[in-house]
Amino acid sequence: MAILAPSILSADFSNLGQQIRLAELGGADWIHCDVMDGQFVPNITFGPLIIKAVKKSTHLPLDVHLMIKNPDNYIESFINAGADYLTVHLEAAPHLNRTVNRIKELGCKAGVSINPSTPVSTLTEIAEYTDMILLMSVNPGFGGQSFIPTVLKKVEKLVELREKLNARFFIEIDGGIDTSTILPSLHAGVDVFVTGSSVFGADNITAAAAKLKNMLNSNS
Ligand code: DX5
Ligand code: ZN
C-alpha cells in the first residue's frame, strides 16, 4: 500500500488542527512533521511542543523528520511527544547504529534520511536496522522547492540494496512531490510520499490530498 504523508511545513499554523483534519479527510495516511534547528539546515521550525499538539488533533501516525544537529539529545523528547516514526539524518549522526537502536528501544520506528548528494552506498551498514529510509528529493530546509530527478536513480539503488539485504524498511521520498512527480517516484519503488506544498499549499487541501491518494491507489 502506498502511503501519503502530507508535511505540515506548508500548513497554516494559525489553524493547524483544522488543516490536518482536512488532509485526513482527503485520505492522508501519516502526518509528516519537519523539525529544523537552523544549524543542520538554514531554517528553524518547531520542537516537541508542536508534535504534542499535532498528536492531540489526529490519530494518524506522526512521521517526525529531524533536520537537526545532535539528534541523540532529542530522541526521548520527540518520542514522548508522540512520534511514531522518528527519522534522523545520516549526515548529522556520527553514531548512527547506536542512535537507531535507541529509537527502537524506546518503542518508536526508526528512520534514516540522506540528502540529495549523499550516495545510497553510505546506507549499506545501517539500512537493515531501520524501519524506513528517507531519500531527500530537495535540499532540506524549505517547502515548495523543485524535485531533483536524479534521486529516482537512488530509489532504484535502494530497492536493490533492500533486496540484497533481504530487509523490509519502507522507502520514503521527501520534497517536490506533486501530481507530476508522484507516479515516477511510485514506479521507481517508493512506498511513502511526503507532500508539503502540493497538499497544504493547495486552495482545497482535501481535494489535493484525495487526488494524490487516488493516483497512488490506481497505480499501485
Ligand atoms: C524539506 C522537508 C520536506 C518539505 C516538503 O526540508 O523535509 O518535508 O516539507 O515540502 P514540499 O512537498 O513542498 O517540497
Ligand atoms: Zn521532511
Side-chain angles (χ1 to χ4, degrees):
M1 176 189 103
I3 293 164
L4 185 71
S7 161
I8 58 171
L9 185 64
S10 301
D12 168 6
F13 269 67
S14 68
N15 228 331
L16 192 52
Q18 192 251 357
Q19 298 256 296
I20 289 170
R21 268 187 298 286
L22 291 173
E24 209 168 328
L25 274 175
D29 298 295
W30 297 356
I31 297 296
H32 186 82
C33 303
D34 287 307
V35 177
M36 302 179 190
D37 64 358
Q39 301 284 322
F40 181 68
V41 290
N43 192 5
I44 296 177
T45 56
F46 49 78
L49 213 54
I50 292 288
I51 304 302
K52 226 180 208 145
V54 172
K55 195 73 179 176
K56 278 199 304 211
S57 64
T58 181
H59 295 296
L60 294 182
L62 303 190
D63 170 28
V64 179
H65 179 192
L66 296 183
M67 287 162 276
I68 64 172
K69 277 188 167 174
N70 308 313
D72 291 331
N73 300 343
Y74 304 93
I75 287 172
E76 274 189 63
S77 48
F78 279 102
I79 292 173
N80 293 339
D84 297 282
Y85 280 78
L86 192 62
T87 296
V88 300
H89 268 260
L90 173 137
E91 302 91 347
H95 304 291
L96 198 49
N97 187 285
R98 180 186 292 142
T99 303
V100 164
N101 286 329
R102 181 75 182 129
I103 293 170
K104 295 196 298 188
E105 266 163 32
L106 293 168
C108 184
K109 300 280 190 195
V112 170
S113 179
I114 54 173
N115 289 330
S117 63
T118 304
V120 168
S121 58
T122 60
L123 296 164
T124 311
E125 302 306 327
I126 192 67
E128 62 195 281
Y129 293 90
T130 71
D131 300 292
M132 181 161 74
I133 298 289
L134 193 171
L135 296 180
M136 290 306 300
S137 36
V138 294
N139 294 299
F142 303 92
Q145 299 180 88
S146 308
F147 182 76
I148 300 172
T150 50
V151 175
L152 293 177
K153 278 266 165 283
K154 293 176 71 173
V155 173
E156 289 163 3
K157 283 191 185 135
L158 191 53
V159 169
E160 275 168 38
L161 177 64
R162 183 169 60 184
E163 276 154 22
K164 203 172 100 194
L165 296 169
N166 194 23
R168 301 169 52 80
F169 53 84
F170 280 135
I171 297 174
E172 182 174 46
I173 198 161
D174 184 2
I177 299 300
D178 57 24
T179 51
S180 65
T181 55
I182 198 163
L183 292 186
S185 301
L186 177 73
H187 297 144
V190 173
D191 306 300
V192 185
F193 302 79
V194 177
T195 55
S197 45
S198 58
V199 170
F200 285 114
D203 293 339
N204 183 326
I205 290 171
T206 301
K211 183 171 170 71
L212 290 162
K213 186 68 184 166
N214 292 338
M215 287 176 78
L216 291 174
N217 288 344
S218 41
N219 288 278
S220 14

